[in-house]
């Protein structure tokens, strides 16, 4: 009987320890919201646009592979449009190839949350991948603007890559100034837009708007990796900068206990 009682005590102790470990995992698990565009028309060209696959996939796997939980939202909810050019073999990377085979993630993308129904309190950071789509919808979306301001005002990282820094166009700080005023930022350059042949198609040039709103804009050569971190604000210049942005997000998440 004594042995049985002893085993019962040991089993209960181990069970309690495992429960505590599980609770610790839940407590420390980080959760990030990805926000993608719902816009699929490239101006009046008759061509399609959307989010850029690599700029979504590379950060997704950088974070998910480290145990970060990720939700995806868009202005309209449901299936967001993908920029067809980002699915071209010439744009393929190891991350996009992984994405193409990832049926679970493809299914998740079909069911994005509606942006108006998400709450920053449920997340530790927010990330916006680019593609040209965000310049049309997310840059003017009141829910997106309020969401970014809420993340920032609650001391949570906000991150953007390529064209996505354009969604900061109308985001304000608590004092009423543009959020980017006096902050180090980057994003898709005028030279890169010109090389893409879309200077006269896009609703605004990202580099110009960031500078007009008071941002301290820096850039690397065309298509070269470049990411900038200024406090909670993280921005990347182009698709090649996607992983750099994700690594900066991960570092900030890991530094917050």
């Amino acid at each position: 009987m004594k042995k049985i009682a002893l085993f019962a005590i040991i089993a209960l102790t181990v069970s309690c320890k495992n429960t505590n470990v599980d609770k610790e995992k839940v407590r420390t698990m980080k959760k990030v919201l990805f926000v993608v565009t719902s816009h699929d028309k490239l101006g009046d060209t008759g061509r399609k646009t959307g989010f850029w696959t690599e700029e979504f996939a590379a950060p997704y796997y950088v974070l998910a592979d480290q145990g970060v939980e990720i939700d995806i939202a868009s202005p309209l909810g449901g299936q967001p449009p993908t920029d067809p050019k980002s699915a071209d073999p010439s744009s393929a990377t190891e991350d996009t190839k992984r994405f193409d085979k990832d049926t679970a993630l493809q299914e998740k993308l079909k069911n994005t949350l509606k942006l108006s129904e998400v709450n920053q309190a449920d997340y530790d950071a927010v990330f916006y991948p680019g593609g040209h789509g965000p310049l049309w919808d997310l840059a003017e979306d009141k829910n997106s603007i309020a969401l970014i301001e809420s993340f920032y005002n609650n001391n949570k990282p906000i991150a953007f890559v390529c064209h996505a820094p354009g969604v900061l166009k109308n985001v304000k700080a608590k004092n009423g100034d543009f959020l980017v005023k006096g902050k180090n930022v980057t994003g898709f350059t005028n030279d890169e837009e010109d090389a893409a042949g879309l200077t006269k198609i896009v609703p605004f040039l990202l580099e110009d708007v960031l500078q007009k709103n008071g941002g301290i804009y820096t850039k690397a050569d065309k298509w070269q990796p470049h990411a900038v971190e200024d406090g909670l604000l993280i921005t990347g210049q182009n698709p090649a900068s996607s992983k750099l942005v994700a690594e900066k997000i991960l570092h900030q998440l890991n530094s917050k206990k």
Side-chain angles (χ1 to χ4, degrees), residues 54 57-58 88-100 243:
E54 197 277 341
D88 190 275
S90 64
S91 301
T93 66
E94 290 305 310
D95 291 302
T96 63
K97 292 174 185 176
R98 180 178 173 183
F99 171 82
D100 290 340
K243 282 192 176 181

Side-chain angles (χ1 to χ4, degrees), residues 13 57 103 198:
T13 302
T103 54
L198 295 171

Side-chain angles (χ1 to χ4, degrees), residues 48-236:
K48 294 293 185 179
T49 188
F51 73 88
W52 195 263
T53 304
E54 197 277 341
E55 295 166 22
F56 172 87
Y60 189 95
Y61 292 127
V62 166
L63 297 173
D65 287 349
Q66 294 300 313
V68 176
E69 188 178 350
I70 298 170
D71 281 348
I72 311 167
S74 63
L76 299 180
Q79 177 72 62
T82 304
D83 191 304
K85 282 196 171 183
S86 70
D88 190 275
S90 64
S91 301
T93 66
E94 290 305 310
D95 291 302
T96 63
K97 292 174 185 176
R98 180 178 173 183
F99 171 82
D100 290 340
K101 298 175 182 177
D102 192 340
T103 54
L105 182 51
Q106 305 273 0
E107 190 64 28
K108 189 174 181 179
L109 260 173
K110 290 179 182 178
N111 299 284
T112 65
L113 304 171
K114 199 168 183 178
L115 192 56
S116 61
E117 297 173 357
V118 299
N119 187 341
Q120 68 79 19
D122 296 328
Y123 303 94
D124 299 290
V126 66
F127 168 68
Y128 285 65
H132 284 88
L135 298 184
W136 274 274
D137 63 352
L138 289 167
E140 309 296 336
D141 189 287
K142 292 181 180 179
N143 292 311
S144 177
I145 294 166
L147 187 72
I148 295 167
E149 291 173 350
S150 183
F151 268 93
Y152 192 82
N153 292 337
N154 282 279
N155 198 37
K156 295 177 180 179
I158 56 174
F160 315 83
V161 71
C162 200
H163 285 89
V167 308
L168 294 166
K169 177 186 174 188
N170 296 304
V171 175
K172 300 287 185 71
K174 285 182 178 179
N175 64 3
D177 289 338
F178 288 108
L179 185 65
V180 300
K181 184 178 180 181
K183 294 184 177 65
N184 296 294
V185 291
T186 190
F188 205 63
T189 70
N190 289 353
D191 287 342
E192 288 168 328
E193 201 68 83
D194 184 59
L198 295 171
T199 299
K200 296 181 179 180
I201 304 301
V202 293
F204 61 89
L205 292 174
L206 178 56
E207 180 179 338
D208 290 352
V209 164
L210 290 176
Q211 291 180 324
K212 179 183 177 182
N213 287 356
I216 304 168
Y217 181 87
T218 61
K219 58 184 176 181
D221 291 337
K222 290 198 299 278
W223 320 121
Q224 296 305 302
H226 180 57
V228 177
E229 185 174 4
D230 193 325
L232 298 169
L233 176 60
I234 302 167
T235 50

